[in-house]
Amino acid sequence: MAGRPGTFNIGASGIIMLSQAIRRAGRVALPVPGFGLAALDSLRKANRYLEINREQLGYLSYGRVMDTTRMEQELGYHPKWSTAEAFDDYVRGRGLTPIIDPEWVRSVEGRAVAAAQRFGGRSTIN
């Protein structure tokens, strides 16, 4: 973008929390207490695994978002996909198979809602 000085955050609209990304990818969340991240960091250092650094471990706890207002207003750039659409495309492209079948989850959810509706209207106090 010639003639446009400065630094621009380039990203799609919307955000996905880590918990949402885990579910969208068909995975199961494993809660890790704060001290667990410190232990993970120690293991990373001991094994010289440099792909994840301390700053990135912080993103697991606090997340990260970007303000893309300048991108849209000054560059006139609008990404083709939203954040959720791009993430879903990434999951499809990786060929990830869900650990828990989404159809099974929908089936259980549907039965739970039906049972709640069926029994929810009944009063047990006279």
Side-chain angles (χ1 to χ4, degrees), residues 22-28 96-111:
I22 290 168
R23 285 192 300 274
R24 290 179 90 95
R27 298 300 190 247
V28 178
L96 298 178
T97 52
I99 291 174
I100 299 175
D101 180 24
E103 290 302 319
W104 179 81
V105 172
R106 283 194 222 27
S107 170
V108 170
E109 180 182 45
R111 290 192 305 249

Side-chain angles (χ1 to χ4, degrees), residues 41-75:
D41 189 40
S42 296
L43 282 173
R44 177 191 65 84
K45 288 177 187 174
N47 292 307
R48 295 187 177 97
Y49 184 73
L50 303 175
E51 203 167 308
I52 296 177
N53 62 35
R54 187 175 275 286
E55 183 178 314
Q56 290 169 325
L57 285 174
Y59 293 146
L60 293 175
S61 296
Y62 305 111
R64 180 178 184 176
V65 297
M66 294 187 306
D67 180 2
T68 58
T69 304
R70 285 188 63 218
M71 171 195 76
E72 294 173 358
Q73 291 178 349
E74 294 183 34
L75 298 179

